[in-house]
Amino acid sequence: MQVSTALPATPPRIGRLAVQVGLAFALAMGVAGGIAFLAARYQLMQEADDALAHESRKLILKGYPNDSATLAKRVIDRRAQKILASRGHIVYGPDGRLLADGLDIPPLPDGYAETIYRDHSRKWHQGRALSLRLPDGGRLVIVEHSEVDATMREMMLIGLIALIVVGGLAGVTAAWVLTRQIAQRLDLSVGAADAIAQGDLSRRISLDGLDGIFATQAGSLNHMLDRMEQMVRSQRQFASHLAHDLRTPLTRLRGLLQAEAEAHAADRPLLDKAERECRSIIAIFDSLLRLSEIEAGRRPTAMAPLALDEAILDVAETMEPVIADAGSRLALAPLPPATVLADAGLVQQLLVNLLDNIALHTPAGTQASVALAVERHEATITIADNGPGILPPERERVVRPYESGGATRRDKSMGSGLGLAIAQAIMRFHNGALELVDNRPGLMVRLRFPVSS
Amino acid sequence: MSAIRVLVVEDDPAIAGQICHGLMARGYATDLAASGEAAFKACTGGQFDAIVLDRMLPDTHGVELLGRLREAGPVPAVLMLSALGSVEDRVEGLVAGADDYLAKPFDMSELSARLVAICRRGGRKTEDKAEDNSELGGDLTVGRLRLESASHRATFGTEAIELNRKQFSLMAYLMRHADKIVTRAMLIENVWAYSFDPATNIVESNLSRLRTRLQVLGCDPIETRRGEGYVLRADLCK
């Protein structure tokens, strides 16, 4: 059984989200880059094709003979007129003989096509070609050198990689910034939720710096907390009012029983018994009242630095004769100094309650011990005995109000059954934890107090 | 010696009856006031040694009445009664000037013992017996029994024993209230300063340990009064 302790204060974590968003960004950038590249390339191809069509209209003239021999002549003339560095012309005769120019080019189908060719420089180039069949069965091929296209192809890989890398980085950064912002806003609610888990129902999420869905969410959480606080308060008030209101009739009852006991000595045993019962009802109400007082955290002013070692020593001094009278023994381990922020009165009650339990619920001859250990962020008091212990399924039960150890109880009229529930409430009040552990044999109660640095 | 005069301020007739009856049976002279107004009149008109004051009255609050009485003149010892048993309420009652605070329900013997403890007249009776310099860091003496506060030692004649802190405080309280009954609850509140009721009888166990220690000294003046409490008898310290 363990009472939830304060959550460790970790900075808001973003987790895998940034990487995932980064990858998605990179993929999107890659696809967008690819599409842009293809579109640009298609545009360039169109332009090249337009140029080829334009050139073909300059060579194949309507109303004039357009046989291969004439075209060969026209090509040679045109080439003589101006230098068309980026364009080549080839004219084949009907028999396939080369009539004009001499680009080295593989056979091409009719119409526009991608091709490679080799000119006088003996270097292969990439280009766009238009192949036209002539009326005499010859063929005219116009080749447009497209350096841009070639460069683009080379650049495509580098461009895509660059896009993906930049996209990925931008994605991770954007996601990181966004999630950080979200985490910071959510952290406000986490802080409030932690405080509430520790019993501070008065905490609310500040709406400063929140907008949109975050403000709405914080607002509705705050509203929920208002309702919860109200409900818890009214429940506690009910419990303490019940305890208060029943005190007056119990006072009368007890007074009557005492008066009767004094007047009728013969009936004393019965009246004494009734009075004892009355006393135990009062004890339960007192404990209930105390429990609600602790749970409501109504004594925050009592919090002060407390030397746990001295508090233990003080209670052990008081409880040692009690445990000795029960036929058992209480040993105290050497206590290291430990200071915690605590309510001294509550710590006293905590230790007395737990040592009371040993005196009441373990058989004579039990060996009990109290020890204190100090770590960096925690001081742990261990109260152990070698008595009959508590079975694991029972351990959770006994810290709930109105349930106690049962089998080993010697006197049903002793204790309110709220001892461990009060002990647990006290630990919760101190943001600590109460753990019931098997001492093999017996029970070990560990009380873990946070040590503020 | 005339009886101690107590004004009981309580509006619940059954409880008021019990208190008056119980106190009269123990030799007190009692007057009853069922409201704050009646209590104010009775108190300013008559001479009382103590007031048993209920915290909640039909016309006023016990704390307010106490304030009014203080303005009007010297106030006798006040024992405040309340159905509220929380620590806060106790503190509020004591801060308001009550000499002691008792939560309902209570034993008549508890009420009686506390009245004796706070009563000015009751207090003077033992002055000649217990020499109390403990407030000044000095020692406490009852007869030949001496309690040294610096060393936590108890001496009787030539014998001496050392007491632990709890035994010392217990002894000191008993000596300061020599010849008066001190109840278990009074010891829990004043020696242990516990604001809760332990499930075990820590007073009995610690007292019996103290008595065992005192027997070594050859002086065992503490008596258990069944159903009432404990008395340190000054005549047994001679």
Side-chain angles (χ1 to χ4, degrees):
Chain A
M1 169 67 219
Q2 184 174 343
V3 185
S4 64
T5 44
L7 290 170
T10 47
R13 275 191 54 208
I14 289 125
R16 289 192 298 271
L17 191 61
V19 178
Q20 286 164 349
V21 171
L23 282 176
F25 237 73
L27 190 67
M29 290 293 260
V31 170
I35 290 170
F37 171 77
L38 288 175
R41 202 163 157 252
Y42 179 76
Q43 185 64 36
L44 284 172
M45 208 169 74
Q46 283 292 311
E47 278 168 21
D49 289 359
D50 287 350
L52 286 171
H54 182 75
E55 182 70 12
S56 73
R57 283 196 295 277
K58 288 269 170 68
L59 291 168
I60 299 173
L61 305 168
K62 277 179 186 165
Y64 293 89
N66 282 319
D67 57 287
S68 45
T70 316
L71 269 176
K73 201 170 167 305
R74 274 190 208 139
V75 163
I76 291 160
D77 284 352
R78 195 164 164 74
R79 288 196 65 84
Q81 280 167 19
K82 46 178 157 177
I83 300 152
L84 297 166
S86 66
R87 203 167 290 163
H89 305 77
I90 313 154
V91 182
Y92 299 100
D95 50 359
R97 199 163 46 89
L98 187 66
L99 297 179
D101 227 62
L103 285 180
D104 197 356
I105 194 162
L108 291 165
D110 288 354
Y112 300 99
E114 288 286 305
T115 187
I116 49 165
Y117 67 94
R118 200 155 58 160
D119 59 10
H120 313 296
S121 67
R122 313 309 295 161
K123 246 173 72 189
W124 286 101
H125 297 285
Q126 213 144 25
R128 189 82 185 155
L130 173 62
S131 177
L132 293 168
R133 194 172 286 278
L134 298 172
D136 65 344
R139 183 177 286 273
L140 168 70
V141 177
I142 311 166
V143 180
E144 177 86 13
H145 177 69
S146 59
E147 199 67 59
V148 185
D149 190 38
T151 316
M152 267 190 78
R153 273 168 190 273
E154 281 167 25
M155 278 173 59
M156 186 178 82
L157 191 66
I158 302 165
L160 271 182
I161 290 171
L163 270 174
I164 288 169
V165 168
V166 169
L169 284 176
V172 169
T173 312
W176 186 78
V177 170
L178 183 69
T179 44
R180 226 184 124 74
Q181 300 257 320
I182 294 172
Q184 276 170 355
R185 282 158 175 74
L186 288 181
D187 201 39
L188 292 172
S189 355
V190 171
D194 285 352
I196 289 151
Q198 284 167 39
D200 180 8
L201 278 175
S202 63
R203 262 293 283 274
R204 292 294 178 271
I205 303 161
S206 163
L207 294 178
D208 293 347
L210 292 184
D211 51 10
I213 183 68
F214 294 106
T216 315
Q217 186 217 32
S220 88
L221 275 176
N222 283 347
H223 180 65
M224 181 191 82
L225 291 172
D226 288 343
R227 286 285 300 145
M228 263 175 66
E229 191 186 10
Q230 207 180 353
M231 274 154 64
V232 169
R233 198 188 302 130
S234 65
Q235 210 170 13
R236 279 180 188 148
Q237 267 171 2
F238 173 74
S240 62
H241 282 167
L242 183 73
H244 285 150
D245 292 350
L246 282 167
R247 272 174 176 272
T248 305
L250 279 169
T251 309
R252 289 192 208 127
L253 178 62
R254 205 169 148 201
L256 285 172
L257 288 169
Q258 277 179 346
E260 285 297 300
E262 276 166 25
H264 308 281
D267 284 336
R268 248 200 117 100
L270 181 69
L271 290 164
D272 280 350
K273 219 166 128 187
E275 212 239 311
R276 250 204 324 273
E277 288 304 318
C278 199
R279 207 188 289 266
S280 73
I281 297 170
I282 293 157
I284 291 170
F285 280 133
D286 283 348
S287 299
L288 182 63
L289 199 62
R290 182 72 170 169
L291 190 61
S292 77
E293 203 178 28
I294 298 164
E295 299 249 278
R298 268 164 69 186
R299 299 157 39 107
T301 46
M303 292 297 264
L306 172 75
L308 275 185
D309 46 328
E310 280 171 31
I312 294 172
L313 206 63
D314 187 70
V315 171
E317 213 165 59
T318 295
M319 293 307 292
E320 189 273 320
V322 177
I323 290 175
D325 281 358
S328 300
R329 226 174 70 81
L330 177 68
L332 204 57
L335 304 170
T339 304
V340 295
L341 195 65
D343 178 326
L346 288 182
V347 171
Q348 240 171 10
Q349 178 167 17
L350 170 78
L351 297 173
V352 171
N353 267 4
L354 294 170
L355 293 173
D356 267 349
N357 278 351
I358 292 175
L360 292 173
H361 305 317
T362 63
T366 299
Q367 301 280 327
S369 66
V370 183
L372 174 64
V374 191
E375 280 164 45
R376 224 151 53 90
H377 300 296
E378 208 169 67
T380 307
I381 303 176
T382 310
I383 299 177
D385 67 66
N386 63 352
I390 302 177
L391 290 171
E394 294 282 288
R395 279 183 215 145
E396 211 164 309
R397 201 176 61 81
V398 291
V399 291
R400 293 202 295 263
Y402 303 112
E403 307 204 27
S404 63
T408 56
R409 293 187 71 175
R410 282 183 206 161
D411 185 347
K412 288 258 179 226
S413 70
M414 275 182 181
S416 57
L418 287 164
L420 275 170
I422 288 176
Q424 200 197 31
I426 292 172
M427 287 315 293
R428 214 183 285 145
F429 180 86
H430 289 97
N431 296 329
L434 177 142
E435 292 167 13
L436 300 181
V437 196
D438 196 347
N439 194 34
R440 301 165 200 277
L443 180 69
M444 184 189 280
V445 184
R446 264 204 293 260
L447 307 168
R448 292 164 49 202
F449 285 87
V451 175
S452 48
S453 45
Chain B
M1 187 196 84
S2 62
I4 296 176
R5 292 195 61 193
V6 182
L7 176 66
V8 178
V9 189
E10 167 68 68
D11 64 307
D12 186 302
I15 296 174
Q18 281 165 23
I19 296 173
C20 290
H21 188 264
L23 287 180
M24 281 190 287
R26 282 169 176 80
Y28 294 81
T30 61
D31 274 13
L32 177 65
S35 69
E37 214 40 58
F40 189 75
K41 270 189 207 140
C43 203
T44 44
Q47 286 294 310
F48 293 98
D49 300 306
I51 306 177
V52 175
L53 177 62
D54 190 33
R55 195 169 177 274
M56 297 297 279
L57 293 165
D59 54 344
T60 184
H61 196 281
V63 173
E64 273 167 40
L65 178 64
L66 196 52
R68 269 182 74 198
L69 286 173
R70 284 199 183 284
E71 277 171 28
V75 178
V78 174
L79 173 63
M80 200 172 272
L81 287 184
S82 167
L84 310 173
S86 75
V87 179
E88 238 178 279
D89 302 317
R90 170 179 291 276
V91 170
E92 191 201 37
L94 295 180
V95 166
D99 297 271
D100 202 355
Y101 187 101
L102 192 55
K104 291 177 188 174
F106 48 83
D107 275 331
M108 268 319 297
S109 48
E110 182 77 43
L111 178 69
S112 164
R114 281 174 192 256
L115 274 179
V116 171
I118 61 169
C119 225
R120 313 275 187 264
R121 278 176 56 173
R124 299 225 166 74
K125 280 204 299 183
T126 52
E127 253 182 10
D128 53 323
K129 288 169 189 164
E131 191 191 323
D132 185 357
N133 299 312
S134 56
E135 304 280 303
L136 307 162
D139 301 338
L140 267 166
T141 344
V142 175
R144 286 166 62 209
L145 186 65
R146 189 179 170 82
L147 191 64
E148 297 170 2
S149 55
S151 59
H152 281 199
R153 269 175 9 140
T155 59
F156 186 71
T158 53
E159 298 293 321
I161 49 161
E162 273 186 29
L163 301 174
N164 72 24
R165 287 178 301 179
K166 276 282 119 47
Q167 290 162 350
F168 172 82
S169 315
L170 192 52
M171 192 66 202
Y173 189 82
L174 287 164
M175 284 173 80
R176 262 185 233 122
H177 296 83
D179 286 332
K180 288 189 209 166
I181 289 179
V182 294
T183 66
R184 179 171 168 266
M186 284 160 79
L187 290 170
I188 291 278
E189 276 166 37
N190 297 297
V191 175
W192 276 273
Y194 288 174
S195 52
F196 58 95
D197 200 13
T200 50
N201 198 338
I202 67 165
V203 173
E204 196 180 79
S205 294
N206 280 278
L207 252 174
S208 91
R209 189 63 70 87
L210 174 63
R211 290 183 64 179
T212 312
R213 301 283 294 138
L214 289 174
Q215 273 154 19
V216 174
L217 209 58
C219 170
D220 180 13
I222 303 168
E223 250 183 30
T224 305
R225 298 268 172 90
R226 233 188 99 76
E228 289 185 295
Y230 308 91
V231 184
L232 185 138
R233 278 176 56 188
D235 59 323
L236 296 179
C237 300
K238 284 184 176 153

